[in-house]
Amino acid sequence: MDFEKPGFMAQALDAAEMALARQEVPVGAVIVHGPSGRLLARTGNQTIQRNDPTAHAEMLAIRTAGAALGSQRLTDCDLYVTLEPCAMCAAAISLARIRRLYYGAPDPKGGAVENGPRFFSQPTCHHAPEIYGGIDGDRASELLREFFRRKR
């Protein structure tokens, strides 16, 4: 598969850069309707801006895409996110029935896909997307390093 042909991870990275500019943890997410290639959502973390610990980029993108489609199920949709999703976001991805998950940097501390609880491998997980990790992971990791450098 040619992940970057449509540039969806690049758009997620742009959203992460905008989050960084707002002094949010620089994570960006994009949701695309797979069959049509239509962009349904593009956003970055907004936990500080909204005073909402659930305002992760993935959660906001899922809400926006669901509203755009008029459905709680995103079965034909693909999620591009710059950082390995946490357990909360992995659960939302499963509940939304997202078709494919593409992510950039792994998250050894808070991730729940290849690290931590490995949410999609649990017997209680009702739906697991196809998973593709490490896409533009170096660029995503550098944005995170820059954020934490500024914090120190």
Side-chain angles (χ1 to χ4, degrees), residues 13 82-83 104-106 136-146:
L13 286 159
T82 59
L83 182 65
D136 277 344
D138 291 342
R139 185 170 170 212
S141 293
E142 182 53 38
L143 286 172
L144 290 161
R145 281 191 293 275
E146 176 63 24

Side-chain angles (χ1 to χ4, degrees), residues 31 54 56-63 72-75 79 85-99 101 112 119-120 125-129:
I31 294 184
T54 70
H56 290 195
E58 302 96 308
M59 300 293 284
L60 297 172
I62 287 168
R63 291 176 190 141
Q72 67 179 6
R73 301 280 190 240
L74 305 176
T75 55
L79 169 64
C86 69
M88 173 183 69
C89 293
I93 290 164
S94 178
L95 291 170
R97 307 296 196 266
I98 288 178
R99 179 177 78 161
L101 166 64
F119 185 88
F120 300 120
C125 178
H126 296 290
H127 169 77

Side-chain angles (χ1 to χ4, degrees), residues 41-124:
R42 178 178 178 254
T43 190
N45 274 0
Q46 296 180 27
T47 59
I48 296 167
Q49 178 181 337
R50 293 181 181 218
N51 295 311
D52 179 357
T54 70
H56 290 195
E58 302 96 308
M59 300 293 284
L60 297 172
I62 287 168
R63 291 176 190 141
T64 301
L69 293 176
S71 176
Q72 67 179 6
R73 301 280 190 240
L74 305 176
T75 55
D76 288 331
C77 294
D78 302 333
L79 169 64
Y80 294 78
V81 61
T82 59
L83 182 65
E84 176 184 356
C86 69
M88 173 183 69
C89 293
I93 290 164
S94 178
L95 291 170
R97 307 296 196 266
I98 288 178
R99 179 177 78 161
R100 293 187 186 116
L101 166 64
Y102 301 95
Y103 70 89
D107 186 355
K109 282 183 154 181
V113 177
E114 72 176 85
N115 291 288
R118 299 177 185 242
F119 185 88
F120 300 120
S121 300
Q122 299 302 316
T124 54

